[in-house]
């Protein structure tokens, strides 16, 4: 049956088949349909279904990271300001002075910003902020 016009049903079918394979102890085989289901649900924005696919993948022994954040909607205003100043090359102390925060608070903000943007360090901030929709350049 051709389910190309029904992407949600197709993804659910992959999820069910992958879960069925995993429960039959065909672990390695189950990962392919589970990955396909996860990717399809992510593309469709079906986050609850994507979470189920990730849970099944985890049960099959494969870690599956969450969706990378594609927009700054999860960054608070303070975090966005901190990220922009850090991307401009300011130190934590300089950022703290401009925003009337301690350098430790700035460090805490950056610690929470990196995973939200899907990056691992200060050097990647500029590219991550430029990739945000409606980014101020």
């Amino acid at each position: 049956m051709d389910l190309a016009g029904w992407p949600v049903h197709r993804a659910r079918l992959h999820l069910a088949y992958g879960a069925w394979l995993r429960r039959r102890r065909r672990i390695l085989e189950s990962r392919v349909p589970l990955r396909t289901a996860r990717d399809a649900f992510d593309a469709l924005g079906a986050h609850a279904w994507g979470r189920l696919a990730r849970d099944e993948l985890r049960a099959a022994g494969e870690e599956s990271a969450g969706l990378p954040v594609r927009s700054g909607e999860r960054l608070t205003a303070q975090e966005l300001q901190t990220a922009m100043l850090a991307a401009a090359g300011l130190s934590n102390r300089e950022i703290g002075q401009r925003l009337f925060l301690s350098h430790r608070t700035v460090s805490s903000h950056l610690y929470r910003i990196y995973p939200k943007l899907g990056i691992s360090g200060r050097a990647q901030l500029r590219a991550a902020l430029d990739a945000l929709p409606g980014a101020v350049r």
Side-chain angles (χ1 to χ4, degrees):
M1 178 181 238
D2 181 28
L3 293 176
W6 302 83
V8 173
H9 294 297
R10 182 181 176 131
R12 287 183 63 193
L13 185 63
H14 281 287
L15 176 60
Y17 181 57
W20 180 83
L21 287 171
R22 187 184 65 75
R23 285 175 178 79
R24 302 291 177 291
R25 300 188 191 277
R26 294 164 61 183
I27 304 297
L28 294 177
E29 280 181 78
S30 72
R31 292 178 183 172
V32 173
L34 290 172
R35 278 188 219 116
T36 304
R38 177 204 56 204
D39 295 343
F41 289 133
D42 289 348
L44 293 167
H47 303 295
W49 286 103
R51 202 171 18 251
L52 287 173
R54 280 184 180 74
D55 291 345
E56 285 290 334
L57 271 169
R58 193 171 17 265
E62 181 176 309
E63 276 303 313
S64 179
L67 266 178
V69 176
R70 289 180 241 184
S71 69
E73 66 191 38
R74 287 188 10 190
L75 290 180
T76 66
Q78 188 98 59
E79 288 172 342
L80 185 58
Q81 282 183 317
T82 304
M84 289 170 59
L85 292 172
L90 276 66
S91 70
N92 287 2
R93 288 199 185 276
E94 294 169 330
I95 295 169
Q97 288 172 349
R98 287 199 184 180
L99 299 179
F100 303 104
L101 301 170
S102 77
H103 67 281
R104 290 183 177 153
T105 303
V106 172
S107 178
S108 176
H109 281 309
L110 289 171
Y111 179 80
R112 287 191 306 270
I113 289 169
Y114 295 156
K116 288 182 179 183
L117 293 177
I119 61 175
S120 60
R122 197 177 205 117
Q124 301 166 320
L125 268 174
R126 173 56 43 210
L129 291 174
D130 286 343
L132 295 176
V136 178
R137 301 194 201 313

